Amino acid sequence: MPCRLSSDSISGSLTESFSSFKAADERQRSNNPLFFRNPVIENPGKAVYNGKEEMALAGKKHWEEFSLKYVLGIDTGGTYTDAVLYDADNRQVVASGKAPTTRENLAVGIGVAIDRLPMQELKQAAFLSLSTTLATNACVEDRGGRAKLIFIGAEQPVVAETGWKYGLPDAEEILFLDAEIRSDGTVEREPDLQGFLEEAESFLKDADSVAVVAYQGIRNPTLEQAAKKLIRERFGLFTVCGHELFWNLNYLKRGAGALLNARLVPIITDFLQAIHETVQARGIDIPIVIVRSDGTLMTEKFALERPVETILCGPAASILGGVALSGSPDCIVVDMGGTTTDIAMVLDGKPVKRDGGISIGKWDTFVDSAFIHTLGLGGDSRVRIGKEGLLVGPERIMPLCAAASRWKTVRDSLRELAESARKSKHPLQEFLYLVREQAQDVSYTERERRICAALADGPLRIDRLAEAAGSDLYTLDTRRLEREGVVLRCGFTPTDAMHVLGDFTGFDRGKPPNWPPAIWRGCWGWKRRRFAGWSTNRWSERCTFTWFRPSWKTKIRIFGEDWTLDCGR
């Protein structure tokens, strides 16, 4: 796919970057009323969002009042949360803090990280800059909220045949509103909106957000706007239209991006709520900006309405940091975390940008971004045995060494499993634990509610969970609960393998290495160190294959000329 270089320069100077942001913001605001990136607003307060009151941007300062002495930065990933206090005048980090990301309550991990910074200087910070891989991880792991897609004037056979290429669900899971729309956007036959409301009653009964996309909606958005108005009035659901996000012709790709945006709403909403809760508890009242997937900045309000713009904001921030730290204008930046490995290219000090939008996981979208390849592979990737042999990723789970450090019952249960020498086709060494309560959510099945109730007192090994939930290992289905972040799985990961081999001892090294050898033979049929070695080797092989595979021989556009870049050489 053709690429081009970004016209935005990467500068090590935060002051220069912020000044450029201000100028670009003023140009964008004057040229496009739908595009707002100004990190301060004149009337801060609360806004009704998805039926809830959300804190709008708490900025009370104006550009001329900004002092860039200190800047606070927070990055929340799937495994760790980092906080940094930066001295912009002297261009140096004053202090930094790291804490495990607490999935059950993001504010806890964010608070621990912030509390490791000096409070006196922290309260002098001019603004707070955020980045996160929560949306990135959700795309790779196919997680998110219960979003539904409505197509207006679309051809159902076309969607059924080709929609999967963009990440769309089966056509049976999409509501098609019949209408005749010409290629110029003229509506030849209006849809039956009253009939639509009756059909939507059952279609949206378990949805928490909706995406509406019309054929040629970018040329005539009136049908999308009418459907959105009806949905908001009748069902009170957060609704986004395709034309509000993208101005590209391919309605299938617009539909995929709009649906993904709706799925990410609860993830980014929870993240920003946790940020507000944390900083307000510490008496910090500063404007908030968020790194966008293309490396620019956006407002909190923009991110709440368009969370799809945060898909690669974490990796985009890594590009800026990698160039600044290395001082190299031409480099490949590789960022490996707990869930994903993100790879980007920088030429002449500028990130190579990708035309056509982001492709990540199963999703193909129109979201602008630097050319970043994301692989579902990290320190917390799930290791398991499949028909193809040893499999690593793309799912992220909690490492057993971390779970055993947190819950004594996990270690005791593993020891009991090892001593029993029990063998099974199922991963008996894996556990599930409850992240958030869903007892009042009637949309979950009775069996799903029993699973949550069984986990109320702590994690359970999957065979014990099946028994407690009145099920068995063959019918125990936790996929929706895991996909929606209600429960989280614990199991063997590369982090555990590194503990076994002594390469990493971030958790108590006494946990995985000293499990009785029988657990390795009982669960996998291999000796402990042999299995750990194979896990890390497979992990490394996937990384190496991805970095230098043929697809990285790509064409890019530099100053109007096409070049072929072969990253394997």
Side-chain angles (χ1 to χ4, degrees), residues 83-309:
V84 171
L85 187 62
Y86 183 74
D87 184 337
D89 290 344
N90 298 312
R91 301 184 182 182
Q92 64 181 16
V93 174
V94 176
S96 63
K98 179 184 286 287
T101 296
T102 47
R103 291 292 187 96
E104 56 271 32
N105 185 355
L106 292 175
V108 174
I110 295 170
V112 172
I114 289 180
D115 288 341
R116 290 172 177 165
L117 306 179
M119 186 55 64
Q120 183 175 353
E121 289 81 359
L122 186 60
K123 290 193 174 182
Q124 298 177 43
F127 68 97
L128 167 58
S129 179
L130 302 175
S131 66
T132 179
T133 58
L134 293 177
T136 309
N137 300 344
C139 294
V140 172
E141 299 178 274
D142 195 23
R143 299 176 186 268
R146 297 179 187 172
K148 293 294 184 72
L149 174 61
I150 297 172
F151 269 134
I152 304 175
E155 297 184 30
Q156 187 168 349
V158 174
V159 176
E161 183 177 350
T162 62
W164 63 270
K165 297 179 181 179
Y166 304 94
L168 293 176
D170 293 339
E172 292 76 15
E173 300 177 36
I174 301 171
L175 178 60
F176 290 87
L177 182 55
D178 191 30
E180 289 185 11
I181 307 171
R182 293 172 53 178
S183 58
D184 64 356
T186 302
V187 180
E188 292 284 350
R189 179 167 54 83
E190 294 283 345
D192 178 8
L193 294 179
Q194 184 58 42
F196 158 70
L197 283 177
E198 295 174 0
E199 190 173 1
E201 193 76 42
S202 59
F203 180 71
L204 300 177
K205 64 180 180 180
D206 62 345
D208 52 29
S209 56
V210 186
V212 179
V213 176
Y215 173 69
Q216 298 299 339
I218 62 171
R219 289 175 173 160
N220 182 0
T222 56
L223 294 182
E224 291 184 357
Q225 292 167 342
K228 176 179 179 176
K229 184 174 184 293
L230 289 173
I231 294 169
R232 293 294 297 270
E233 290 176 351
R234 174 68 70 88
F235 306 105
L237 296 173
F238 170 85
T239 308
V240 64
C241 298
H243 77 274
E244 296 171 336
L245 300 173
F246 315 110
W247 284 83
N248 307 80
L249 280 173
N250 187 332
Y251 74 87
L252 294 177
K253 197 168 181 177
R254 269 188 289 120
L259 178 60
L260 178 58
N261 186 85
R263 281 169 57 106
L264 295 175
V265 165
I267 293 174
I268 297 304
T269 299
D270 288 348
F271 172 57
L272 291 174
Q273 284 179 333
I275 290 291
H276 274 291
E277 177 184 334
T278 304
V279 297
Q280 289 173 0
R282 288 154 181 80
I284 301 171
D285 182 16
I286 53 178
I288 297 174
V289 294
I290 303 165
V291 178
R292 206 163 170 239
S293 294
D294 61 0
T296 58
L297 299 175
M298 58 183 168
T299 64
E300 180 184 10
K301 183 177 186 294
F302 190 93
L304 281 169
E305 295 175 347
R306 296 164 175 80
V308 72
E309 296 286 349

Side-chain angles (χ1 to χ4, degrees), residues 22 38 65 187 195 220 361 364 369 431 518 554:
K22 174 186 174 183
N38 194 336
E65 298 175 353
V187 180
N220 182 0
D364 189 11
S369 171
F431 294 72
T554 181

